[in-house]
Amino acid sequence: MAELNSLGFAKAPADTRVVVAMSGGVDSSVVAAQLASEGYDVVGVTLQLYDHGAALAKKGACCAGRDIHDARRVAETMAFPHYVLDYENKFRESVIDEFADAYLAGATPIPCIRCNERVKFRDLLETAKDLDADCMATGHYIQRKAGPQKAELHRAADPERDQSYFLFSTTQEQLDYLRFPLGHLKSKAETRTLAAQYGLSVADKPDSQDICFVPNGSYAAVIEKLRPGAAEPGEIVHLDGRVLGAHRGVIHYTIGQRRGLGIGGGEPLYVVKLDADARRVIVGPKEALATRTVPIHQINWIGDREWDALPDDGAEVLVKVRSTRPPREAVLRRGADGTAEVELALAEEGIAPGQACVFYAPEGSRVLGGGWIRAAA
């Protein structure tokens, strides 16, 4: 039997076509350059996700005009073909519109996950197959490992760079086709060293910050542009029912927010709930933010055991309810119609509808899937 190459195929790198999703940043550039240097048949693809001249775009953002230029320069340096695909309509329909609607409904969406799920790992992945590629590679910091039963998704070796929270919705079919060559690196410094070794112009390029289509992190400004007049004023109400003041639109608030409430002194108060239908921002003391019960839906499961075969009394897992927090002990219980409930061993603060809850194996680094946090009944 032929020896497997570094991407897991029993043939020479020159006979293995790989489409590399290139954002123009250092991570995906290094992936493309490394695979090209190893002799793979590399095809670089960059997605144009929004109008570069529109107010939504910001200088230096992911997939903006400068990034397309940088990706093209990397392809020229390493001598592989590079294409730019216009995915503006797909991105708006699959990501931006839902982002705006979710905020107006009082949720706290994470569009980067939807972009991976609906654009990069769905539409672009199908394009890669149309190009007769054996696989598609990205610059995400996450690991794909060959398990005893099937390909497995694992956290990155560098916990500071791990992107598993943003990739929980990767399906098994997608995982079989995807490759993540940077997941084993111990630090971002290693990536930049490789970029310098390959002579890439992006070796010192800063990382992109915030959501790519949100200028200066101002979510409310983007939503007001996308949905003019949709942000209506309402009341700021204490948990005990007292009306404490007025607000200029639910979209200006997030669960856990303390500053900028404009309701004067007294006890420190935090946003504990957003009632978009009643146009109310509900506030309370910090302890009101803590919860151990997390209702979730739209679950993606990639564990070895079938979802329906999980124990009726629940399965012990680790979960992340925020990208910046480490996995915590919990019990996962199946519900009806694709829902579930997570019971945290220790209460967490600031859990908000629209965020992700990601499941991990109780031991090791394996990602088992996850779901979207929904409002409690």
Side-chain angles (χ1 to χ4, degrees):
M1 181 176 178
E3 183 178 350
L4 298 181
N5 60 33
S6 64
L7 293 178
F9 297 99
K11 53 184 176 181
D15 298 324
T16 306
R17 174 168 292 177
V18 51
V19 164
V20 179
M22 300 182 67
S23 68
V26 63
D27 299 323
S28 57
S29 295
V30 166
V31 168
Q34 180 175 317
L35 294 175
S37 71
E38 292 176 9
Y40 285 97
D41 178 11
V42 171
V43 178
V45 175
T46 301
L47 303 181
Q48 177 181 317
L49 297 181
Y50 46 79
D51 181 356
H52 305 148
L56 293 182
K58 72 176 182 180
K59 183 179 180 181
C62 165
C63 307
R66 172 61 189 273
D67 294 310
I68 292 174
H69 172 74
D70 288 342
R72 184 176 289 119
R73 287 188 63 186
V74 169
E76 291 172 351
T77 299
M78 301 303 298
F80 60 80
H82 173 258
Y83 302 96
V84 178
L85 303 182
D86 183 357
Y87 271 40
E88 188 176 333
N89 288 337
K90 293 177 184 289
F91 187 67
R92 184 178 64 251
E93 295 167 1
S94 300
V95 180
I96 295 180
D97 284 345
E98 183 188 82
F99 170 82
D101 292 340
Y103 251 100
L104 288 173
T108 308
I110 309 175
C112 297
I113 296 178
R114 291 302 195 193
C115 182
N116 290 324
E117 172 189 323
R118 298 176 175 176
V119 179
K120 295 175 182 175
F121 289 0
R122 186 184 68 185
D123 296 333
L124 179 55
L125 190 146
E126 289 305 315
T127 298
K129 291 181 178 179
D130 291 341
L131 292 171
D132 293 326
D134 294 282
C135 64
M136 186 173 89
T138 80
H140 289 106
Y141 287 87
I142 195 167
Q143 299 186 81
R144 177 190 184 276
K145 298 183 178 182
Q149 298 187 37
K150 54 188 177 183
E152 299 176 356
L153 200 61
H154 288 254
R155 282 181 280 170
D158 178 5
E160 297 298 318
R161 307 298 304 182
D162 174 53
Q163 292 177 290
S164 59
Y165 182 84
F166 299 98
L167 298 172
F168 82 85
S169 60
T170 304
T171 67
Q172 190 64 49
E173 182 180 3
Q174 292 167 346
L175 183 57
D176 291 340
Y177 193 72
L178 290 163
R179 300 295 187 273
F180 308 105
L182 301 184
H184 68 286
L185 298 183
K186 297 296 192 296
S187 71
K188 182 63 176 269
E190 290 186 51
T191 306
R192 294 195 182 279
T193 297
L194 288 171
Q197 290 175 357
Y198 294 127
L200 305 184
S201 59
V202 296
D204 297 320
K205 184 175 180 178
D207 292 340
S208 58
Q209 302 292 328
D210 300 319
I211 298 170
C212 66
F213 60 90
V214 179
N216 305 315
S218 178
Y219 300 164
V222 170
I223 294 161
E224 287 176 332
K225 181 178 179 64
L226 293 168
R227 302 287 188 271
E232 299 181 86
E235 297 174 332
I236 299 178
V237 183
H238 195 281
L239 279 171
D240 62 16
R242 288 178 291 145
V243 176
L244 302 180
H247 65 77
R248 55 195 177 95
V250 170
I251 62 172
H252 295 278
Y253 302 85
T254 56
I255 303 295
Q257 179 177 336
R258 178 186 175 188
R259 298 183 183 278
L261 300 182
I263 51 178
E267 65 171 327
L269 295 174
Y270 299 78
V271 176
V272 298
K273 183 180 179 182
L274 298 172
D275 187 343
D277 291 337
R279 303 200 305 276
R280 283 187 162 190
V281 173
I282 300 166
V283 299
K286 187 175 184 180
E287 54 265 27
L289 287 170
T291 183
R292 288 184 55 202
T293 303
V294 185
I296 54 178
H297 65 157
Q298 298 179 20
I299 293 161
N300 179 58
W301 180 258
I302 52 173
D304 287 337
R305 183 185 297 183
E306 293 296 323
W307 174 252
D308 291 340
L310 291 182
D312 291 335
D313 58 349
E316 292 186 359
V317 293
L318 298 177
V319 301
K320 288 182 76 167
V321 292
R322 287 274 186 88
S323 63
T324 55
R325 295 179 183 175
R328 303 288 174 82
E329 293 181 352
V331 174
L332 171 64
R333 296 186 177 91
R334 286 182 293 114
D337 301 322
T339 65
E341 183 178 271
V342 165
E343 182 182 348
L344 301 168
L346 297 174
E348 289 263 6
E349 295 179 349
I351 295 174
Q355 295 178 331
C357 178
V358 182
F359 318 141
Y360 300 86
E363 65 288 322
S365 60
R366 186 175 179 184
V367 183
L368 301 176
W372 294 93
I373 299 172
R374 58 191 178 92

